[in-house]
Short mmCIF file of all heavy atoms in Angstrom, two decimals:
data_model
loop_
_atom_site.label_atom_id
_atom_site.label_comp_id
_atom_site.label_asym_id
_atom_site.label_seq_id
_atom_site.Cartn_x
_atom_site.Cartn_y
_atom_site.Cartn_z
N LEU A 90 9.08 -45.65 10.49
CA LEU A 90 9.43 -46.95 9.91
C LEU A 90 8.75 -48.12 10.62
O LEU A 90 8.74 -48.20 11.84
CB LEU A 90 10.94 -47.16 9.98
CG LEU A 90 11.77 -46.81 8.75
CD1 LEU A 90 13.24 -47.03 9.03
CD2 LEU A 90 11.32 -47.63 7.55
N GLU A 91 8.19 -49.03 9.80
CA GLU A 91 7.62 -50.27 10.32
C GLU A 91 8.32 -51.49 9.71
O GLU A 91 8.41 -52.53 10.36
CB GLU A 91 6.12 -50.33 10.01
CG GLU A 91 5.33 -49.24 10.72
CD GLU A 91 3.85 -49.28 10.36
OE1 GLU A 91 3.41 -50.29 9.77
OE2 GLU A 91 3.14 -48.30 10.66
N HIS A 92 8.81 -51.36 8.47
CA HIS A 92 9.49 -52.46 7.78
C HIS A 92 10.79 -51.92 7.19
O HIS A 92 10.77 -51.06 6.32
CB HIS A 92 8.60 -53.04 6.67
CG HIS A 92 7.25 -53.47 7.15
ND1 HIS A 92 7.00 -54.72 7.63
CD2 HIS A 92 6.07 -52.79 7.22
CE1 HIS A 92 5.73 -54.82 7.98
NE2 HIS A 92 5.15 -53.67 7.74
N LEU A 93 11.91 -52.45 7.66
CA LEU A 93 13.21 -51.97 7.20
C LEU A 93 14.04 -53.13 6.66
O LEU A 93 14.18 -54.17 7.31
CB LEU A 93 13.97 -51.30 8.36
CG LEU A 93 15.42 -50.88 8.08
CD1 LEU A 93 15.47 -49.83 6.97
CD2 LEU A 93 16.08 -50.35 9.36
N LEU A 120 17.70 -44.85 15.28
CA LEU A 120 16.43 -45.55 15.12
C LEU A 120 15.97 -46.14 16.45
O LEU A 120 14.77 -46.13 16.76
CB LEU A 120 16.60 -46.68 14.08
CG LEU A 120 15.33 -47.22 13.42
CD1 LEU A 120 14.58 -46.12 12.71
CD2 LEU A 120 15.71 -48.31 12.42
N ASN A 124 12.25 -44.64 17.26
CA ASN A 124 11.23 -45.49 16.64
C ASN A 124 10.62 -46.45 17.65
O ASN A 124 11.33 -47.12 18.41
CB ASN A 124 11.85 -46.28 15.48
CG ASN A 124 10.83 -47.11 14.72
OD1 ASN A 124 10.36 -48.13 15.19
ND2 ASN A 124 10.48 -46.66 13.53
N THR A 125 9.29 -46.53 17.63
CA THR A 125 8.58 -47.51 18.46
C THR A 125 7.62 -48.35 17.62
O THR A 125 6.76 -49.03 18.16
CB THR A 125 7.78 -46.79 19.55
OG1 THR A 125 6.85 -45.87 18.94
CG2 THR A 125 8.69 -46.05 20.50
N ARG A 126 7.78 -48.29 16.30
CA ARG A 126 6.83 -48.96 15.40
C ARG A 126 7.43 -50.13 14.63
O ARG A 126 6.69 -50.90 14.02
CB ARG A 126 6.30 -47.95 14.36
CG ARG A 126 5.63 -46.72 14.93
CD ARG A 126 5.08 -45.88 13.80
NE ARG A 126 4.40 -44.68 14.26
CZ ARG A 126 3.67 -43.90 13.47
NH1 ARG A 126 3.55 -44.21 12.19
NH2 ARG A 126 3.08 -42.84 13.95
N LEU A 127 8.74 -50.25 14.61
CA LEU A 127 9.39 -51.24 13.74
C LEU A 127 8.94 -52.66 14.10
O LEU A 127 9.10 -53.11 15.22
CB LEU A 127 10.90 -51.13 13.85
CG LEU A 127 11.69 -51.88 12.77
CD1 LEU A 127 11.52 -51.19 11.43
CD2 LEU A 127 13.18 -51.96 13.14
N VAL A 128 8.39 -53.35 13.11
CA VAL A 128 7.95 -54.73 13.32
C VAL A 128 8.74 -55.71 12.47
O VAL A 128 8.69 -56.92 12.73
CB VAL A 128 6.43 -54.88 13.02
CG1 VAL A 128 5.60 -54.08 13.99
CG2 VAL A 128 6.12 -54.48 11.57
N SER A 129 9.46 -55.22 11.47
CA SER A 129 10.18 -56.12 10.56
C SER A 129 11.56 -55.57 10.25
O SER A 129 11.70 -54.42 9.83
CB SER A 129 9.38 -56.31 9.27
OG SER A 129 10.11 -57.07 8.32
N LEU A 130 12.58 -56.41 10.46
CA LEU A 130 13.96 -56.03 10.13
C LEU A 130 14.60 -57.15 9.32
O LEU A 130 14.60 -58.30 9.73
CB LEU A 130 14.78 -55.79 11.40
CG LEU A 130 16.28 -55.50 11.19
CD1 LEU A 130 16.47 -54.18 10.43
CD2 LEU A 130 17.02 -55.47 12.53
N THR A 131 15.16 -56.79 8.16
CA THR A 131 15.83 -57.75 7.28
C THR A 131 17.22 -57.24 6.94
O THR A 131 17.36 -56.14 6.40
CB THR A 131 15.02 -57.96 5.98
OG1 THR A 131 13.72 -58.47 6.29
CG2 THR A 131 15.74 -58.94 5.05
N LEU A 154 24.29 -54.18 16.65
CA LEU A 154 23.04 -54.83 16.28
C LEU A 154 22.37 -55.46 17.51
O LEU A 154 21.14 -55.40 17.65
CB LEU A 154 23.31 -55.90 15.22
CG LEU A 154 22.08 -56.62 14.65
CD1 LEU A 154 21.07 -55.63 14.08
CD2 LEU A 154 22.51 -57.62 13.57
N PHE A 157 20.66 -52.77 19.48
CA PHE A 157 19.43 -52.36 18.79
C PHE A 157 18.31 -53.38 18.99
O PHE A 157 17.17 -53.01 19.28
CB PHE A 157 19.73 -52.18 17.29
CG PHE A 157 18.54 -51.83 16.47
CD1 PHE A 157 18.00 -50.55 16.52
CD2 PHE A 157 17.94 -52.77 15.64
CE1 PHE A 157 16.89 -50.21 15.76
CE2 PHE A 157 16.83 -52.45 14.88
CZ PHE A 157 16.31 -51.17 14.94
N LEU A 158 18.63 -54.65 18.84
CA LEU A 158 17.61 -55.70 18.99
C LEU A 158 17.08 -55.75 20.42
O LEU A 158 15.90 -56.07 20.64
CB LEU A 158 18.18 -57.05 18.57
CG LEU A 158 18.50 -57.22 17.08
CD1 LEU A 158 19.12 -58.58 16.82
CD2 LEU A 158 17.24 -57.05 16.22
N LYS A 159 17.92 -55.46 21.39
CA LYS A 159 17.44 -55.42 22.77
C LYS A 159 16.40 -54.32 22.95
O LYS A 159 15.43 -54.49 23.69
CB LYS A 159 18.63 -55.19 23.72
CG LYS A 159 19.51 -56.42 23.91
CD LYS A 159 20.67 -56.13 24.85
CE LYS A 159 21.51 -57.38 25.09
NZ LYS A 159 22.65 -57.12 26.00
N ARG A 160 16.62 -53.20 22.28
CA ARG A 160 15.66 -52.09 22.38
C ARG A 160 14.36 -52.40 21.65
O ARG A 160 13.27 -52.02 22.09
CB ARG A 160 16.27 -50.82 21.80
CG ARG A 160 17.38 -50.22 22.63
CD ARG A 160 17.98 -49.02 21.91
NE ARG A 160 19.00 -48.34 22.73
CZ ARG A 160 19.78 -47.36 22.28
NH1 ARG A 160 19.67 -46.96 21.02
NH2 ARG A 160 20.66 -46.80 23.07
N MET A 161 14.47 -53.10 20.52
CA MET A 161 13.30 -53.33 19.66
C MET A 161 12.61 -54.66 19.93
O MET A 161 11.58 -54.95 19.34
CB MET A 161 13.75 -53.29 18.18
CG MET A 161 14.25 -51.95 17.73
SD MET A 161 12.90 -50.75 17.72
CE MET A 161 13.75 -49.26 17.24
N GLY A 162 13.19 -55.49 20.76
CA GLY A 162 12.72 -56.86 20.93
C GLY A 162 11.26 -56.99 21.32
O GLY A 162 10.61 -57.97 20.97
N THR A 163 10.74 -56.01 22.05
CA THR A 163 9.37 -56.14 22.53
C THR A 163 8.32 -56.01 21.43
O THR A 163 7.21 -56.52 21.57
CB THR A 163 9.08 -55.07 23.60
OG1 THR A 163 9.38 -53.77 23.06
CG2 THR A 163 9.92 -55.31 24.85
N HIS A 164 8.65 -55.32 20.33
CA HIS A 164 7.64 -55.15 19.27
C HIS A 164 8.11 -55.64 17.90
O HIS A 164 7.38 -55.53 16.91
CB HIS A 164 7.18 -53.69 19.17
CG HIS A 164 8.30 -52.69 19.08
ND1 HIS A 164 8.91 -52.35 17.91
CD2 HIS A 164 8.90 -51.95 20.04
CE1 HIS A 164 9.84 -51.43 18.14
NE2 HIS A 164 9.86 -51.18 19.42
N LEU A 165 9.32 -56.22 17.81
CA LEU A 165 9.79 -56.75 16.53
C LEU A 165 9.13 -58.10 16.27
O LEU A 165 9.24 -59.03 17.08
CB LEU A 165 11.31 -56.89 16.56
CG LEU A 165 12.01 -56.96 15.20
CD1 LEU A 165 11.81 -55.67 14.42
CD2 LEU A 165 13.50 -57.22 15.39
N VAL A 166 8.45 -58.20 15.15
CA VAL A 166 7.69 -59.42 14.81
C VAL A 166 8.46 -60.29 13.84
O VAL A 166 8.43 -61.52 13.93
CB VAL A 166 6.32 -59.04 14.21
CG1 VAL A 166 5.58 -60.28 13.72
CG2 VAL A 166 5.47 -58.30 15.24
N HIS A 167 9.17 -59.68 12.90
CA HIS A 167 9.88 -60.42 11.85
C HIS A 167 11.35 -60.03 11.87
O HIS A 167 11.70 -58.84 11.85
CB HIS A 167 9.28 -60.10 10.48
CG HIS A 167 10.10 -60.60 9.34
ND1 HIS A 167 11.11 -59.84 8.76
CD2 HIS A 167 10.09 -61.77 8.65
CE1 HIS A 167 11.67 -60.53 7.78
NE2 HIS A 167 11.07 -61.69 7.69
N LEU A 168 12.22 -61.04 11.92
CA LEU A 168 13.66 -60.79 11.85
C LEU A 168 14.29 -61.77 10.87
O LEU A 168 14.13 -62.99 11.00
CB LEU A 168 14.32 -60.97 13.22
CG LEU A 168 15.85 -60.85 13.24
CD1 LEU A 168 16.29 -59.43 12.88
CD2 LEU A 168 16.41 -61.25 14.61
N SER A 169 15.00 -61.25 9.87
CA SER A 169 15.72 -62.08 8.92
C SER A 169 17.19 -61.68 8.90
O SER A 169 17.53 -60.55 8.54
CB SER A 169 15.15 -61.96 7.50
OG SER A 169 15.93 -62.72 6.58
N LEU A 170 18.05 -62.60 9.35
CA LEU A 170 19.50 -62.41 9.28
C LEU A 170 20.10 -63.52 8.42
O LEU A 170 21.19 -64.03 8.69
CB LEU A 170 20.09 -62.43 10.69
CG LEU A 170 19.65 -61.28 11.61
CD1 LEU A 170 20.20 -61.45 13.01
CD2 LEU A 170 20.07 -59.93 11.04
N LEU A 183 22.82 -62.86 19.41
CA LEU A 183 21.94 -62.04 18.59
C LEU A 183 20.48 -62.44 18.77
O LEU A 183 19.60 -61.60 18.97
CB LEU A 183 22.34 -62.15 17.11
CG LEU A 183 23.54 -61.32 16.66
CD1 LEU A 183 24.07 -61.82 15.32
CD2 LEU A 183 23.15 -59.85 16.55
N LEU A 184 20.20 -63.73 18.71
CA LEU A 184 18.83 -64.20 18.86
C LEU A 184 18.30 -63.96 20.27
O LEU A 184 17.13 -63.60 20.45
CB LEU A 184 18.75 -65.69 18.51
CG LEU A 184 19.03 -66.07 17.05
CD1 LEU A 184 19.02 -67.58 16.87
CD2 LEU A 184 18.02 -65.42 16.11
N SER A 186 18.98 -61.57 22.18
CA SER A 186 18.72 -60.14 22.44
C SER A 186 17.25 -59.78 22.24
O SER A 186 16.77 -58.80 22.79
CB SER A 186 19.61 -59.28 21.54
OG SER A 186 19.36 -59.53 20.16
N LEU A 187 16.52 -60.59 21.45
CA LEU A 187 15.10 -60.33 21.24
C LEU A 187 14.28 -60.56 22.52
O LEU A 187 13.19 -60.02 22.67
CB LEU A 187 14.55 -61.21 20.12
CG LEU A 187 15.08 -60.93 18.71
CD1 LEU A 187 14.55 -61.98 17.74
CD2 LEU A 187 14.66 -59.54 18.26
N SER A 188 14.81 -61.39 23.41
CA SER A 188 14.09 -61.69 24.66
C SER A 188 14.75 -61.03 25.87
O SER A 188 14.57 -61.47 27.00
CB SER A 188 14.03 -63.21 24.86
OG SER A 188 15.34 -63.76 24.87
N LYS A 193 11.63 -63.81 27.19
CA LYS A 193 10.90 -64.54 26.15
C LYS A 193 10.64 -63.59 25.00
O LYS A 193 10.54 -62.37 25.19
CB LYS A 193 9.59 -65.12 26.69
CG LYS A 193 8.62 -64.10 27.22
CD LYS A 193 7.33 -64.75 27.74
CE LYS A 193 7.60 -65.52 29.03
NZ LYS A 193 6.32 -66.03 29.63
N SER A 194 10.56 -64.15 23.80
CA SER A 194 10.32 -63.34 22.61
C SER A 194 9.02 -63.79 21.94
O SER A 194 8.75 -64.98 21.85
CB SER A 194 11.48 -63.49 21.61
OG SER A 194 11.16 -62.88 20.37
N PHE A 195 8.24 -62.81 21.50
CA PHE A 195 7.00 -63.11 20.81
C PHE A 195 7.09 -62.81 19.31
O PHE A 195 6.09 -62.61 18.64
CB PHE A 195 5.84 -62.33 21.45
CG PHE A 195 5.53 -62.81 22.84
CD1 PHE A 195 6.07 -62.17 23.94
CD2 PHE A 195 4.73 -63.92 23.03
CE1 PHE A 195 5.80 -62.62 25.23
CE2 PHE A 195 4.46 -64.39 24.31
CZ PHE A 195 4.98 -63.74 25.41
N ALA A 196 8.33 -62.79 18.81
CA ALA A 196 8.53 -62.66 17.36
C ALA A 196 7.88 -63.85 16.67
O ALA A 196 7.97 -64.98 17.14
CB ALA A 196 10.01 -62.61 17.03
N SER A 197 7.21 -63.60 15.55
CA SER A 197 6.46 -64.66 14.88
C SER A 197 7.18 -65.24 13.67
O SER A 197 6.86 -66.34 13.24
CB SER A 197 5.08 -64.15 14.45
OG SER A 197 5.20 -63.08 13.52
N GLU A 198 8.14 -64.50 13.11
CA GLU A 198 8.84 -65.00 11.92
C GLU A 198 10.34 -64.76 12.05
O GLU A 198 10.78 -63.61 12.16
CB GLU A 198 8.32 -64.34 10.65
CG GLU A 198 8.93 -64.89 9.38
CD GLU A 198 8.28 -64.36 8.11
OE1 GLU A 198 7.26 -63.65 8.23
OE2 GLU A 198 8.78 -64.66 7.02
N ILE A 199 11.12 -65.84 12.05
CA ILE A 199 12.57 -65.76 12.18
C ILE A 199 13.20 -66.50 11.01
O ILE A 199 12.88 -67.66 10.74
CB ILE A 199 13.05 -66.40 13.50
CG1 ILE A 199 12.44 -65.70 14.71
CG2 ILE A 199 14.58 -66.36 13.59
CD1 ILE A 199 12.87 -64.27 14.86
N PHE A 224 11.64 -68.37 22.40
CA PHE A 224 10.63 -67.97 21.41
C PHE A 224 9.31 -68.66 21.74
O PHE A 224 9.24 -69.89 21.85
CB PHE A 224 11.09 -68.32 19.99
CG PHE A 224 12.25 -67.49 19.53
CD1 PHE A 224 13.56 -67.97 19.63
CD2 PHE A 224 12.06 -66.22 19.01
CE1 PHE A 224 14.64 -67.21 19.22
CE2 PHE A 224 13.14 -65.44 18.61
CZ PHE A 224 14.43 -65.94 18.71
N ASN A 226 6.06 -67.63 20.18
CA ASN A 226 4.95 -67.33 19.27
C ASN A 226 5.35 -67.50 17.80
O ASN A 226 4.86 -66.79 16.93
CB ASN A 226 4.44 -65.90 19.51
CG ASN A 226 3.11 -65.65 18.85
OD1 ASN A 226 2.18 -66.44 18.93
ND2 ASN A 226 3.00 -64.50 18.17
N LEU A 227 6.24 -68.43 17.52
CA LEU A 227 6.73 -68.58 16.15
C LEU A 227 5.64 -69.09 15.22
O LEU A 227 4.93 -70.06 15.53
CB LEU A 227 7.91 -69.56 16.12
CG LEU A 227 9.24 -69.03 16.68
CD1 LEU A 227 10.29 -70.13 16.68
CD2 LEU A 227 9.73 -67.84 15.86
#
Side-chain angles (χ1 to χ4, degrees):
L90 264 178
E91 296 178 13
H92 305 272
L93 174 63
L120 200 58
N124 184 286
T125 58
R126 303 184 179 191
L127 193 70
V128 295
S129 174
L130 175 65
T131 299
L154 184 55
F157 177 74
L158 292 177
K159 285 180 177 179
R160 290 176 176 172
M161 295 293 177
T163 54
H164 51 85
L165 200 63
V166 174
H167 169 271
L168 175 65
S169 176
L170 296 175
L183 280 164
L184 294 176
S186 60
L187 293 174
S188 57
K193 61 180 70 173
S194 171
F195 292 96
S197 62
E198 185 172 353
I199 300 295
F224 292 97
N226 193 46
L227 287 175

